[in-house]
Amino acid sequence: MSAMSTGSMVIRGARVVTPYGVIEDGWVKVENGVVSAVAQSAEALAVADEVIDANGAWLVPGFIDIHVHGGNGADVMDGQASSIRTIGQFHAKHGTTSWLPTTLTAPVDHLAKSIASVDTVRNEGYLGATILGLHLEGPFIDMERRGAQNPDYVLEPNLDVMKRLANVAPGLIRKVTIAPERPDALRVIRWLSENGIISSMGHTNATMAEIQAGVEAGATHATHLFNGMRGLHHREGGAVGGCLLSDAVVCELIADGHHVQPEVMKLVVKTKGPGKVVLITDAMTAAGQPDGHYRLGGLDVTVTDGVALLTEGHNLAGSTLTMNNAVKTMVSRVGVDMLAAVQMASDTPARELGVSDRKGGIEVGKDADLVLLDESLQVMRTIIGGNTVYAR
């Protein structure tokens, strides 16, 4: 994470996206890394150590990506602190100010090493997106719905294994993807719920009834809705139907226009509302890199025109998406307004992670995690804790 700034800053002349609406020609003052004032142009001459003229650009709260595997040639599964820094710094350039480094299905010892590397960076700090925890995606998934997860290391849900991984860095794991229909899954879900860890139903072949059982056990999230799960059918609602129907479940969308068609994403937002949808990247090591051949969880991946597919089988294999482009997709192709798109990228994940008192919105008293976006929604500046970590 970035250390909080000890100075002051004013950003003026911006289209400020707040939880309550857009302030045209607005300004925001930051003191000691925290938002201290939000207003319109009449007070734009407030004194500060640094004054930034936004010239009409969008000013939005920093994005929170709760499902990201890699970027700029690095992977969380490298098990190296240097890779975690590289990923966090890369995504900060694209508006992500907080994130959950996300693992893949792998041997338990390998997972433990990757967890430890995330913990190292979380504790030492760096000039990149703040680490709010870790997302364990696998190994407790369904073999048939594994997608781009390595089949050699898929495990049935096992509470002893789960506890072992949680104890590598107590308090670090914040979300676990699990197939609720697998043997002993409900027991693991109950333990996760009791310990304040989000159970996310994904890579699952669950029926609607089995999803409902997962919710009753404490599951509250759906990993990349539609992808890696039993689909919606008019005689069996499946995992998708169960997640859409439950008011308790927050649904992830990989908003690149490839994983889920824009019209279907529109249906999800209309059904769930932006308060129950989270935009994610599911980005892999190829994000920010040229087309070519890569590895993901020990599997070969080919990236063509920015779309990542398993070289054998041609399943989608993560993405090369960044959060600013996820927001752009929602606005330009799905048709939601900026307020709703930003809510799904910032406020909703902050609320789900229990950090909405300090992150997820531009409000007095919250961390100064801010992003300036131009008219094409490309990042002009990223500010974390009052510090500029990227400027174009």
Side-chain angles (χ1 to χ4, degrees), residues 24-25 51 76 81 105 122 155 169 171 202 256 291 309 313 319 333 374:
E24 301 289 346
D25 194 19
V51 178
V76 172
T105 296
R122 177 183 66 156
L155 297 178
D256 60 358
D291 286 354
L309 300 173
S319 84
R333 300 184 64 189
D374 63 21

Side-chain angles (χ1 to χ4, degrees), residues 64-68 135 175 200-201 221-227 229 240 243-244 249-283 316 318-319 321-331 333-336 340-341 343-346 348-349 352:
I64 301 174
D65 191 351
I66 63 174
H67 189 149
V68 52
H135 170 198
K175 179 160 74 95
S200 185
M201 298 177 289
H221 195 88
T223 296
H224 43 52
L225 190 72
F226 292 101
N227 301 115
M229 62 173 58
V240 170
C243 292
L244 286 174
V249 177
V250 175
C251 296
E252 296 177 354
L253 285 176
I254 307 173
D256 60 358
H258 303 294
H259 283 77
V260 184
Q261 288 297 306
E263 295 81 4
V264 178
M265 288 193 283
K266 182 181 292 188
L267 177 64
V268 172
V269 175
K270 189 171 183 178
T271 302
K272 298 293 290 187
K276 290 291 185 178
V277 176
V278 172
L279 305 185
I280 61 164
T281 64
D282 197 17
L316 284 163
S319 84
L321 185 63
T322 55
M323 284 295 286
N324 67 300
N325 284 328
V327 169
K328 182 176 182 178
T329 298
M330 298 305 291
V331 172
R333 300 184 64 189
V334 178
V336 305
Q343 182 179 356
M344 292 183 280
S346 303
T348 304
E352 193 177 21

Side-chain angles (χ1 to χ4, degrees), residues 228 246 350 379:
S246 174
V379 176

